[in-house]
Amino acid sequence: MGNAIIKVNNLVKKYGDFEAVKGISFDVMEGEIFGLLGPNGAGKTTTLEIIETLRKKTSGEIIVDGKNLDNEPQAIKNIIGVQLQAAGYYPLLNLKQIIELFSGLYNKNVNALELLDTVNLREKAKSKFKELSGGQKQRFSIATTLINQPKIIFLDEPTTGLDPQARRNLWELIKDLRSRGATVVITTHYMDEAEELCERVAIIDSGQIIALSSPSELIDKLLATGFKRPKAVKEANLEDVFLNMTGKEWRDE
Ligand code: ATP
């Protein structure tokens, strides 16, 4: 991990009089999985969508892969992968056709079935988006971020609503994207997920970054204050029972 592929400097976003993002600064390093954590309404999606060129900032500077967002938004769009909003999943097209449509728009030559393979959805190539289960929809939405072979992938709560195995399988998929060289920026409300996936996390609260470090360093810092978690009474929990009984394979086919 070497260079900062995203630089955010003093970013402010106001909605009318309300300041949702209050001058935050952070770097995302090339090749890392970087997490944005924080309570509902903290400003995570706003921050992501500004970097993705989908929302206008009020002030501040953003550089993505050496390109200034103010001058070269299109160049930034070309190298990032963003989950399509549901409206992008044309209801009359099947999954393969949607991928082919977008590859055409991006001017990329993508093998739709191979791409569906990477998210374990080849069997559903002829299905419509609305016919998919929740987990399959999330996986398809991740596949759509890969169509333009991006350097940076943005995932906004990609595992919300998924069952425990499906979440773990998506974690493997996200790690796989990183091992193929992508940088991943992810928001999540699941701290186990952030701990498992992220090299570094920024914790945002009320529009400000209140911590930025690796999960392990943040935990050590808390422990150094004398914090002790109440001891678990049993050495397994209900999630362990669930996973042990239902297995770890993709199950929603
Ligand atoms: P969540 O975890 O609930 O998704 P978030 O951290 O992603 O939250 P944002 O969606 O960025 O939070 O919202 C930050 C704040 O800005 C919230 O108070 C929200 O109500 C406000 N906000 C977001 N979008 C708009 C908008 N288009 N107009 C006015 N206020 C907005």
Side-chain angles (χ1 to χ4, degrees):
M1 221 192 299
N3 302 327
I5 194 161
I6 300 175
K7 290 169 181 274
V8 174
N9 194 12
N10 211 11
L11 176 67
V12 173
K13 174 65 180 178
K14 289 186 185 163
Y15 296 110
D17 287 341
F18 173 66
E19 205 172 47
V21 178
K22 301 186 174 118
I24 62 173
S25 301
F26 61 93
D27 289 349
V28 176
M29 309 311 277
E30 187 157 19
E32 76 174 336
I33 302 179
F34 184 87
L36 281 179
L37 312 180
N40 291 134
K44 303 178 297 294
T45 301
T46 299
T47 302
L48 271 198
E49 293 194 352
I50 291 171
I51 304 171
E52 292 165 356
T53 76
L54 301 175
R55 277 191 215 204
K56 284 208 169 339
K57 60 185 164 61
T58 303
S59 62
E61 184 185 58
I62 293 175
I63 311 281
V64 179
D65 199 30
K67 295 153 189 81
N68 190 314
L69 183 99
D70 292 334
N71 311 326
E72 298 185 80
Q74 190 55 48
I76 293 177
K77 276 186 198 151
N78 291 343
I79 57 142
I80 64 172
V82 175
Q83 285 166 286
L84 289 178
Q85 301 299 309
Y89 303 127
Y90 296 91
L92 296 178
L93 301 184
N94 66 37
L95 303 191
K96 179 166 174 281
Q97 291 166 329
I98 294 173
I99 291 174
E100 285 165 352
L101 172 72
F102 279 91
S103 339
L105 293 177
Y106 285 125
N107 213 4
K108 295 273 180 189
N109 192 5
V110 170
N111 182 321
L113 290 178
E114 276 176 19
L115 183 57
L116 287 171
D117 252 348
T118 63
V119 292
N120 218 34
L121 281 177
R122 183 187 275 256
E123 304 293 299
K124 297 283 173 183
K126 297 225 163 94
S127 302
K128 310 258 163 47
F129 182 74
K130 66 168 193 280
E131 295 161 355
L132 303 179
S133 76
Q136 291 167 344
K137 282 183 174 148
Q138 290 281 31
R139 268 143 56 200
F140 181 67
S141 134
I142 292 186
T144 65
T145 69
L146 306 177
I147 295 173
N148 61 334
Q149 296 146 1
K151 278 186 161 181
I152 309 170
I153 298 159
F154 292 93
L155 301 172
D156 200 354
E157 297 188 30
T159 66
T160 295
L162 299 190
D163 73 47
Q165 290 101 332
R167 288 181 63 218
R168 279 165 179 72
N169 293 335
L170 265 189
W171 294 352
E172 291 314 309
L173 173 62
I174 293 166
K175 288 185 200 168
D176 198 40
L177 299 177
R178 174 197 34 203
S179 64
R180 284 191 261 152
T183 303
V184 180
V185 182
I186 181 172
T187 71
T188 180
H189 288 298
Y190 300 116
M191 295 306 119
D192 58 339
E193 178 163 303
E195 207 175 326
E196 169 81 19
L197 290 180
C198 298
E199 265 85 24
R200 293 186 310 137
V201 297
I203 302 180
I204 305 188
D205 195 10
S206 305
Q208 286 175 309
I209 293 183
I210 54 171
L212 200 170
S213 198
S214 69
S216 162
E217 278 167 6
L218 290 172
I219 294 166
D220 287 346
K221 217 168 145 190
L222 175 65
L223 291 173
T225 67
F227 177 92
K228 275 209 175 70
R229 178 195 266 195
K231 270 234 157 55
V233 184
K234 298 179 182 172
E235 288 185 359
N237 62 22
L238 190 56
E239 181 154 309
D240 297 322
V241 173
F242 180 95
L243 287 169
N244 195 262
M245 294 181 80
T246 60
K248 294 203 161 86
E249 301 307 311
W250 296 106
R251 288 286 298 276
D252 56 352
E253 309 308 329

